[in-house]
Amino acid sequence: MEKVDRKKKAYELFKNGYNCAQATVVAFEDILGLDRQTLLNVSIGFGGGFGRTRNLCGAVSAFAIVLGLYIPHSDDPMEGKAQIYKHIQELSAEFKSRNGSDNCGELLKNVKNLTQGYLPQVRDEEYYRVRPCIKFVLDSVEILEKHLGLDE
């Protein structure tokens, strides 16, 4: 079986207009058991720090979606939550150690002309030139791959 280049896939998705959460989640579509459209739908609201509220980075939010779909967990709600929460906290700590924060607003604090509100910003060359978001997407994919043992 040919190895999936998830970082390349995530990069292309982001460059084609999908948000950070969508690009990260769909990069793992080969192992998640859901079709692309469903994964895009499930992750759409997490972009821009949760619906452009600039809270938790969408690429970090994607950790919960990927882990929740990929890792089998106990039927016991307490045990299942504890297992997934542990993984999410480990992944989030790695992301924060690389980037200093997992908060979208903090991560984008040096971006000039950052628009507010619910309307997505136009994706043009300037957008991609000044935004560090692609780095956060690629970091999240790499962190997930390593954590899940898919980087070998």
Side-chain angles (χ1 to χ4, degrees):
M1 188 166 147
E2 186 177 322
K3 183 173 174 8
V4 177
D5 187 343
R6 290 185 182 85
K7 286 172 74 172
K8 179 180 179 188
K9 188 175 191 175
Y11 179 87
E12 290 171 357
L13 286 158
F14 190 77
K15 288 290 260 185
N16 282 312
Y18 293 102
N19 71 37
C20 47
Q22 291 175 303
T24 304
V25 169
V26 175
F28 291 87
E29 71 182 314
D30 64 301
I31 63 164
L32 296 181
L34 293 175
D35 64 276
R36 178 175 283 209
Q37 191 59 53
T38 300
L39 293 172
L40 289 168
N41 292 347
V42 165
S43 55
I44 194 169
F46 294 90
F50 194 72
R52 287 193 96 228
T53 61
R54 302 294 183 223
N55 288 299
L56 184 64
C57 171
V60 174
S61 295
F63 293 156
I65 298 169
V66 172
L67 291 170
L69 292 170
Y70 183 71
I71 295 177
H73 51 275
S74 169
D75 289 334
D76 178 307
M78 295 298 284
E79 189 178 311
K81 288 187 290 186
Q83 179 186 20
I84 293 299
Y85 294 171
K86 178 181 184 291
H87 287 286
I88 290 169
Q89 289 182 18
E90 290 170 358
L91 295 171
S92 295
E94 173 65 21
F95 184 92
K96 285 192 268 190
S97 76
R98 290 183 184 202
N99 297 294
S101 179
D102 61 4
N103 177 276
C104 177
E106 273 295 304
L107 293 167
L108 299 180
K109 69 183 176 190
N110 294 322
V111 176
K112 292 184 183 354
N113 302 319
L114 190 64
T115 61
Q116 301 298 317
Y118 65 89
L119 294 175
Q121 204 158 347
V122 174
R123 296 278 185 98
D124 56 17
E125 283 307 310
E126 179 67 7
Y127 175 96
Y128 293 111
R129 190 182 66 72
V130 301
R131 288 283 181 119
C133 300
I134 193 63
K135 179 194 182 311
F136 308 138
V137 168
L138 297 177
D139 280 353
S140 292
V141 169
E142 186 175 289
I143 291 166
L144 270 165
E145 280 187 317
K146 182 178 179 190
H147 191 81
L148 299 174
L150 301 171
D151 61 337
E152 298 154 359

